[in-house]
Amino acid sequence: MHYLEFEKPLAEIEGKAEELRAMGVANEEMDVDKEARALDKKASELLRELYTDLTPWRKCLVARHPDRPHCKDYIEALFTEYTPLAGDRNFADDHAVMGGLARFNDEPVVVIGQEKGSDTKSRIERNFGMARPEGYRKAIRLMDLADRFNIPVITLVDTPGAYPGKGAEERGQSEAIARSTEKCLKIGVPLVSVVIGEGGSGGAVAFATANKLAMLEHSVYSVISPEGCASILWKDAEKMREAAEALRLTAQDLKELGVADRIIREPVGGAQRDREAAIEAVGKAIAGMLDPLRKKDRDALIKQRRDKFLKLGARGLAA
Amino acid sequence: MNWITNYVRPRINSIFSRREVPENLWSKCDECGTMLFHRELRDNQNVCTNCGHHMAITPRERFAAMFDGSVFNEIDVPEPIHDPLQFRDQKKYPDRMKAAQKKTGERDAMLVAEGEIGALPIVAAAQDFSFMGGSMGMYVGNAIIAGAERAVATGKPFVLFSAAGGARMQEGILSLMQMPRTTVAVEMVKEAGLPYVVVLTHPTTGGVTASYAMLGDVHISEPNALIGFAGARVIEQTIREKLPEGFQRAEYLLDHGMLDRVTPRTEMREELITILRMLMNQPPAIKGNLPAPEAPEAAPVAEAAVTAPEAEPKP
């Protein structure tokens, strides 16, 4: 288990309980059970306490937690017959973006998502979930495919942002993102999206411009990272806590602003503590969003999506 | 330190500084340092007459130079809710807004208007970099939607001059949501079969480039304009290497296939007329003496408000 900075007190208690149990195994005459259970109880109480009212900055940390289920985990667990389709037909296949045909509850869908990787090797291969233009162009191609065969699209959003690289700029990073957003708005099939971790700026918009958007309880979606915002507006990257607070980037704030349509409850202590439960909850939410959309015709789907974004910004948040 | 540096030099400097001309009559070219007389600079649309460097130009000045007879009608932009997030960094967002409004005399970072260029009626929007870096917030989104709707309603082409650092952070996610919102606006124009031409000016970066600025039927840029998604500093830190000369400049983007043309500001009007007339299936523009356009139908906007504030009063 990887503990976040604010979870240090929890790590201590859980560490102690573990030590105690190890001692109990070593010396059979010692009765550690009662004490260990007391520690467990204390730990679970503390965990509950830590995760109620997480500050926005802590939510950012949880959203980026390396042990959270990632796109690949959701695809493997929630979809059958997943058949990856690769490449943008122009330049390359971007491994930061997974996508292909699959079945969701036995119905064919196109699933697309950003994958951050789960160990050093896969993180490098996936470029930490930061797509290049090829990734967005692959997504565009897959959305076109879905549109042509009347198959719904499900996108899973988890990216720090689009990759800031020389080649990415030369090959039209901004054009690729703009076209992907445009494609999201154009397709005449249901498009549902879930922010499973980090919704990083334009790189997320290119996938999340959906009929319905759900966000995991501790996920974030923002115009800029708190660190980036702090270094620009506070001229001090260390002011990320203040920036996270000011940006109103939590799922709860976004629901209130009408950007997110629903919030998916996470297990106590975050999705990383009970991955199966989190994945199952996401599956239910996708089904809940998708089913009513299947009954709508092409024009109604496009209109609903457009109207949703045109109307955004009609209400703000209180301080 | 001695008495020469402490006493004599300030005295000499003060004598020279006294002879400096008033600031508003002369401006210095940021690039070559040539002193340019304000009238000459204005007539050349803030392009240095010596080196051709393009300096910033306000939307009003641009429109005055572009529209026939400097006549244009502003299009109303629905006012968005103010400070939706109650955003506060080192300053409060409403205070930053007030300062920007005072500085520029404008409501926000975009001006939308209709008028004629070469007798062809168009709708134009121009972003104001001097207003909080031209940043795209809800007002800019509303302005683009208002412009697009007007273009569709009247069957006119839509020309957009972009200039922005990116999204307006003080509006958080709602500024980011202007990417899909403005994309919807662009779609409306395209579906109506009308041209949407983007003129990218210095600088156009971030979320603005990744939405309406890169979705034009035709992309024209002013020379040497900085255009890109990520900032050069961020890229250098990420890839740990120096970026090539001219990286993310208009000519570089032209070479990489992201732009159709790079055109000097002083030739932009003629070029827009040529392109738009062809796209609108109109005969070639009549060069020479054009009759002054008639006063626009609903013309409550007075002449004074229509021309650039610095412009001389008409005799």
Side-chain angles (χ1 to χ4, degrees):
Chain A
M1 187 76 211
H2 173 97
Y3 288 98
L4 296 167
E5 206 188 277
F6 70 89
E7 296 174 335
K8 284 258 158 72
L10 182 74
E12 271 171 37
I13 300 172
E14 288 188 344
K16 264 186 211 154
E18 208 174 305
E19 252 173 56
L20 212 58
R21 290 216 166 85
M23 265 160 65
V25 174
N27 325 291
E28 271 176 31
E29 67 277 14
M30 266 177 80
D31 183 21
V32 296
D33 217 41
K34 204 173 139 205
E35 236 174 295
R37 252 183 294 164
L39 282 172
D40 284 349
K41 191 163 168 261
K42 206 171 149 194
S44 78
E45 271 165 19
L46 181 62
L47 183 68
R48 191 172 291 276
E49 206 177 293
L50 281 174
Y51 272 78
T52 24
D53 291 331
L54 279 179
T55 63
W57 171 245
R58 286 180 178 181
K59 284 207 185 247
C60 292
L61 296 175
V62 175
R64 296 171 184 168
H65 198 291
D67 297 336
R68 264 176 101 78
H70 288 162
C71 178
K72 189 167 175 283
D73 305 305
Y74 287 101
I75 291 181
E76 279 169 6
L78 294 175
F79 298 84
T80 50
E81 293 184 19
Y82 173 57
T83 311
L85 300 174
D88 69 343
R89 299 295 185 273
N90 273 307
F91 183 77
D93 182 42
D94 189 338
H95 300 291
V97 174
M98 294 181 73
L101 286 162
R103 284 183 186 275
F104 180 72
N105 293 340
D106 292 333
E107 299 281 351
V109 296
V110 160
V111 57
I112 310 167
Q114 290 123 339
E115 169 58 45
K116 287 182 167 180
S118 49
D119 52 36
T120 308
K121 191 168 163 267
S122 63
R123 277 183 201 123
I124 291 168
E125 190 199 328
R126 303 287 185 184
N127 201 27
F128 303 87
M130 293 183 284
R132 296 179 167 92
E134 297 73 51
Y136 299 106
R137 292 187 180 128
K138 172 158 85 177
I140 293 169
R141 200 173 69 79
L142 293 179
M143 285 191 265
D144 265 330
L145 182 80
D147 195 26
R148 210 162 100 68
F149 295 97
N150 214 14
I151 297 171
V153 178
I154 297 164
T155 61
L156 300 170
V157 178
D158 192 14
T159 179
Y163 183 62
K166 179 169 164 275
E169 291 287 322
E170 287 173 346
R171 297 192 301 277
Q173 185 71 288
S174 33
E175 195 261 2
I177 292 171
R179 293 274 170 219
S180 183
T181 312
E182 184 188 47
K183 187 56 72 184
C184 287
L185 287 162
K186 256 186 177 170
I187 53 174
V189 293
L191 170 51
V192 300
S193 183
V194 184
V195 182
I196 54 174
E198 242 183 315
S201 194
V205 172
F207 280 38
T209 303
N211 290 98
K212 292 284 171 197
L213 176 72
M215 289 183 71
L216 274 171
E217 189 183 346
H218 304 312
S219 68
V220 295
Y221 186 10
S222 178
V223 62
I224 187 170
S225 71
E227 294 93 328
C229 180
S231 75
I232 298 171
L233 289 181
W234 277 263
K235 313 260 182 293
D236 178 1
E238 290 302 307
K239 293 270 190 259
M240 64 265 183
R241 287 172 192 80
E242 287 86 339
E245 203 86 41
L247 283 166
R248 315 298 295 251
L249 41 63
T250 66
Q252 292 69 26
D253 281 340
L254 269 66
K255 172 90 187 337
E256 205 178 319
L257 286 167
V259 174
D261 297 292
R262 63 162 84 192
I263 295 174
I264 305 170
R265 284 281 303 267
E266 289 189 30
V268 177
Q272 70 275 13
R273 285 204 162 71
D274 190 347
R275 294 159 59 99
E276 282 79 32
I279 290 171
E280 200 192 316
V282 167
K284 276 194 187 137
I286 292 175
M289 293 190 289
L290 190 55
D291 290 341
L293 291 173
R294 284 183 191 274
K295 297 181 190 88
K296 294 193 178 215
D297 66 21
R298 299 180 62 86
D299 291 345
L301 286 166
I302 295 169
K303 186 170 186 306
Q304 187 264 328
R305 216 179 285 132
R306 281 185 171 193
D307 288 347
K308 174 184 166 181
F309 288 96
L310 286 178
K311 275 186 218 139
L312 270 185
R315 58 180 186 217
L317 290 172
Chain B
M1 283 287 170
N2 55 38
W3 73 274
I4 294 183
T5 52
N6 285 339
Y7 181 73
V8 175
R9 196 170 287 163
R11 282 295 292 265
I12 293 172
N13 285 345
S14 74
I15 291 165
F16 278 103
S17 65
R18 242 178 270 154
R19 278 172 36 184
E20 263 178 24
V21 286
E23 222 181 307
N24 51 358
L25 284 183
W26 291 86
S27 345
K28 195 169 160 186
C29 171
D30 312 328
E31 194 64 34
C32 68
T34 306
M35 294 306 284
L36 300 155
F37 191 55
H38 74 113
R39 206 167 300 162
E40 186 187 19
L41 190 60
R42 193 195 64 217
D43 290 346
N44 209 36
Q45 298 180 52
N46 285 5
V47 178
C48 175
T49 47
N50 181 49
C51 70
H53 174 63
H54 285 55
M55 281 168 268
I57 184 167
T58 66
R60 264 175 220 286
E61 289 172 307
R62 190 186 286 281
F63 285 174
M66 178 180 76
F67 283 111
D68 295 350
S70 297
V71 176
F72 58 89
N73 248 344
E74 261 185 67
I75 291 170
D76 264 347
V77 176
E79 193 70 38
I81 46 169
H82 293 276
D83 194 15
L85 309 185
Q86 315 267 325
F87 194 97
R88 178 179 196 146
D89 50 86
Q90 288 172 315
K91 282 184 197 152
K92 283 184 188 159
Y93 176 37
D95 293 345
R96 284 190 192 266
M97 275 296 274
K98 267 180 223 138
Q101 282 167 342
K102 201 172 159 205
K103 182 179 126 193
T104 60
E106 300 288 349
R107 281 161 73 197
D108 209 310
M110 189 167 266
L111 189 68
V112 202
E114 57 191 332
E116 293 184 356
I117 58 167
L120 181 79
I122 69 160
V123 175
Q127 214 156 356
D128 192 349
F129 189 71
S130 62
F131 194 109
M132 291 184 78
S135 54
M136 168 180 70
M138 291 193 289
Y139 186 94
V140 168
N142 285 356
I144 293 173
I145 292 167
E149 283 174 344
R150 185 74 189 155
V152 172
T154 55
K156 294 174 187 169
F158 190 28
V159 179
L160 190 143
F161 297 85
S162 66
R168 185 171 293 170
M169 283 174 285
Q170 290 87 349
E171 292 181 16
I173 191 76
L174 291 175
S175 69
L176 191 67
M177 289 302 114
Q178 303 313 309
M179 290 174 65
R181 282 187 93 220
T182 56
T183 305
V184 173
V186 170
E187 284 300 294
M188 296 192 293
V189 178
K190 288 187 179 174
E191 279 168 17
L194 297 164
Y196 169 57
V197 174
V198 186
V199 179
L200 296 100
T201 76
H202 178 78
T204 300
T205 58
V208 169
T209 338
S211 56
Y212 57 88
M214 273 289 156
L215 293 171
D217 291 307
V218 179
H219 293 166
I220 311 173
S221 172
E222 291 184 344
N224 203 37
L226 180 78
I227 303 162
F229 180 67
R233 202 160 43 101
V234 176
I235 299 172
E236 281 185 335
Q237 281 165 2
T238 309
I239 62 173
R240 293 193 186 85
E241 58 178 277
K242 270 293 219 211
L243 291 164
E245 181 84 8
F247 181 71
Q248 289 184 328
R249 295 289 169 170
E251 295 73 12
Y252 195 87
L253 268 86
L254 185 71
D255 273 351
H256 285 87
M258 290 298 137
L259 300 174
D260 293 287
R261 303 179 58 79
V262 175
T263 305
R265 190 180 292 157
T266 45
E267 293 162 29
M268 194 66 78
R269 179 176 181 274
E270 288 309 313
E271 182 152 315
L272 286 171
I273 293 170
T274 306
I275 290 173
L276 289 174
R277 288 193 78 89
M278 284 196 264
L279 291 177
M280 294 296 283
N281 268 302
Q282 297 276 321
I286 302 153
K287 307 266 158 119
N289 285 337
L290 282 164
E294 285 169 33
E297 313 100 55
V301 190
E303 273 272 280
V306 157
T307 45
E310 287 89 338
E312 290 174 357
K314 295 250 157 68

